[in-house]
Amino acid sequence: MSSVTRRQFFIEGGKAVVGASALAAFLAACGEAPAGSSATQDITLKYWTLGYQPGGANATGKLTDAAIAAYTKKHAHTNVKITGYTGDNAGFTKVTQAVSGGSSLDLFRFPADNLPLLVKQNLVQPIDDYLTADDKADLYPNLLDAIKFNGKTYAWPLWVPPVGMYLNLDLFKERGVPVPDDNWTYEQFVEIAQKLTFTRANGQKVYGFTGAIDPDLVNTWPIIMGDGGVPISTDNKKYMFDSPEAISGLQKLADLALKYKVTPPDFGTQSPDDIGTGFSQHKNYAMYCAPSGDSGGYASLGMNFTVKPMPIGKLGKHLTTGGIGLIAVAKSSDTNKLKATMDLARYLTGSEVAKDVPKYYLAPGARKSITVTDPINKFTPFVEYTYLMPLIASWSQVRTLIHTHIQNAVLGKEKPEQAFKAPADEINSILADNQ
């Protein structure tokens, strides 16, 4: 996720204090190579990346190919072999096995949720020795802190896809509803959603709001957390969604379906793909919440949409949820290869690649120096107040338990208080075992 830099040497105004060959020899003796320098011998690095399809078969494939081509053009002795994998359990298992094998890959783009287990198994390389002062000043501090384990940083932050509220502006225009400002409250959001819930003359029903509720997603969690609730304590030892603030937030989410009736009948069980189609093509969802990744597709369709921050709850300030995209480096005893791998990882998560490959970043970058293009830039202001999901090995298990009860509350099967108190003992037991 963000860039990786090894120690950089700055030579003022062309005054070479040490000749190039002497400098190289000195650095070699110290176990270092000049940042960005090419190896004197050919080296092949194996890069695994989520969702990549070769030959430009998809957007990730095109952008990754372009980034690697730009890098290898500048580093004549470095070859990079790219492997794609799927974003499901089978794909993650394949990557984990490859990392465990020790020779199948050198660096990989990986969901943050899966990083703690690899750290625990001592399969990934800390990057602290390769972080420069410039890196530390450029990277958002909260992102570096989020990927520290026992005081060490174990991946390069690439980007943060925060959740925002997508608005279909054609539907706003059709109903004569003004677009809200960025500081809209939950109550204002409900009022707007009610105005945008209607039936057309041809019988087509339009709903003011929807959102995906799924064990792998936290798209609707900003509404739950908007009153001040958090899922677990900051030390990752105690379940906290049974607090009055979290229960109040879950009540607000459930009310959208059960009290205000601004959501479709299958709210709580919809797939993200169905929601996206309904929002953009069928135009029967006026608003929905999701991360930044959806926005590029709508822009390419020429859709009339915008993105707003999530509505403000009792917390009284903006809050959203999200995760971190990472590039991790596999553990290696080959010092030279490790340096080359870190250099590539730094490039793939930095501002240089953004200049070389327009629209490379599919989410706001993890560095302040990275400028993303429209419509991704609509999400950039959200990064500084994004609640990042806990990076603990058991988080997927905890999140799945929480999801079941959120879904029950939205479907009217459990009252919000019951829903969030029910899993407390089991989750606290899991968190205790995680220590």
Side-chain angles (χ1 to χ4, degrees):
M1 327 245 31
S2 268
S3 354
V4 173
T5 295
R6 51 213 71 240
R7 302 185 173 96
Q8 290 182 322
F9 289 79
F10 297 94
I11 301 175
E12 292 184 78
K15 291 189 297 182
V17 179
V18 185
S21 59
L23 177 60
F26 170 75
L27 292 172
C30 294
E32 288 293 339
S37 65
S38 297
T40 55
Q41 295 181 343
D42 286 352
I43 189 169
T44 298
L45 302 177
K46 286 159 279 189
Y47 175 41
W48 285 42
T49 186
L50 179 66
Y52 171 83
Q53 294 179 16
N58 65 352
T60 298
K62 291 177 183 177
L63 294 169
T64 303
D65 286 343
I68 295 302
Y71 181 83
T72 54
K73 184 177 180 180
K74 300 174 185 179
H75 300 75
H77 293 279
T78 302
N79 302 305
V80 181
K81 181 180 179 181
I82 311 169
T83 299
Y85 71 93
T86 55
D88 52 19
N89 287 334
F92 299 143
T93 299
K94 188 176 179 181
V95 175
T96 302
Q97 290 172 343
V99 179
S100 302
S103 61
S104 298
L105 59 76
D106 299 297
L107 70 166
F108 53 102
R109 189 161 74 81
F110 207 56
D113 283 5
N114 300 79
L115 183 65
L117 183 59
L118 298 183
V119 172
K120 191 174 184 179
Q121 295 174 345
N122 196 31
L123 295 174
V124 288
Q125 187 76 31
I127 68 168
D128 301 272
D129 290 344
Y130 303 91
L131 281 169
T132 66
D134 282 351
D135 290 324
K136 294 173 184 177
D138 195 15
L139 288 158
Y140 288 103
N142 59 319
L143 305 188
L144 278 179
D145 290 342
I147 50 179
K148 285 185 185 297
F149 301 88
N150 300 319
K152 294 183 179 180
T153 313
Y154 278 91
W156 294 94
L158 172 62
W159 53 40
V160 177
V163 171
M165 187 71 77
Y166 286 78
L167 278 60
N168 185 319
L169 296 179
D170 286 338
L171 289 173
F172 274 73
K173 183 178 180 180
E174 181 179 347
R175 298 295 286 176
V177 178
V179 176
D181 64 32
D182 289 351
N183 293 317
W184 59 335
T185 64
Y186 171 82
E187 290 72 24
Q188 291 169 328
F189 160 66
V190 169
E191 183 180 355
I192 291 170
Q194 288 175 316
K195 292 177 180 177
L196 293 168
T197 301
F198 64 99
T199 302
R200 290 196 171 98
N202 64 2
Q204 182 188 21
K205 292 187 177 296
V206 178
Y207 298 94
F209 169 75
T210 192
I213 298 176
D214 182 275
D216 290 327
L217 303 174
V218 292
N219 294 3
T220 58
W221 284 34
I223 294 174
I224 297 171
M225 296 175 63
D227 284 357
V230 295
I232 63 176
S233 57
T234 54
D235 61 6
N236 299 328
K237 293 181 179 180
K238 188 175 187 300
Y239 173 70
M240 298 288 288
F241 257 176
D242 55 354
S243 68
E245 294 82 3
I247 293 168
S248 171
L250 181 57
Q251 183 71 63
K252 286 182 172 179
L253 182 65
D255 282 349
L256 295 174
L258 304 176
K259 179 180 178 180
Y260 300 116
K261 302 187 185 303
V262 297
T263 61
D266 53 349
F267 177 60
T269 61
Q270 292 175 290
S271 73
D273 286 345
D274 288 343
I275 291 173
T277 301
F279 178 75
S280 61
Q281 298 178 38
H282 303 317
K283 296 187 178 181
N284 54 348
Y285 306 135
M287 299 183 288
Y288 84 104
C289 48
S292 55
D294 292 2
S295 62
Y298 299 143
S300 66
L301 291 171
M303 184 180 173
N304 187 20
F305 78 101
T306 193
V307 179
K308 290 289 178 179
M310 293 298 290
I312 296 172
K314 291 179 184 177
L315 189 61
K317 60 182 180 180
H318 289 296
L319 176 141
T320 192
T321 53
I324 312 176
L326 305 169
I327 289 183
V329 174
K331 199 85 172 180
S332 174
S333 58
D334 185 332
T335 304
N336 290 331
K337 193 169 191 178
L338 186 58
K339 290 173 184 174
T341 305
M342 289 287 184
D343 191 67
L344 174 58
R346 180 179 199 273
Y347 173 80
L348 292 172
T349 58
S351 55
E352 186 179 359
V353 70
K355 297 172 185 174
D356 292 341
V357 184
K359 299 186 179 181
Y360 171 80
Y361 280 91
L362 302 177
R367 287 177 179 257
K368 301 164 193 171
S369 62
I370 294 169
T371 301
V372 293
T373 57
D374 185 69
I376 300 297
N377 61 0
K378 290 178 170 62
F379 292 82
T380 299
F382 308 166
V383 173
E384 63 182 353
Y385 56 77
T386 296
Y387 178 91
L388 300 169
M389 292 300 113
L391 293 188
I392 54 175
S394 60
W395 177 241
S396 178
Q397 186 181 2
V398 170
R399 189 185 60 224
T400 300
L401 283 169
I402 291 173
H403 157 75
T404 298
H405 294 282
I406 291 175
Q407 190 175 56
N408 284 344
V410 166
L411 295 175
K413 295 179 179 179
E414 291 180 310
K415 296 292 185 183
E417 183 173 7
Q418 176 193 4
F420 267 173
K421 288 185 179 293
D425 290 343
E426 185 174 1
I427 291 176
N428 282 325
S429 177
I430 292 169
L431 294 175
D433 290 342
N434 191 66
Q435 307 306 318

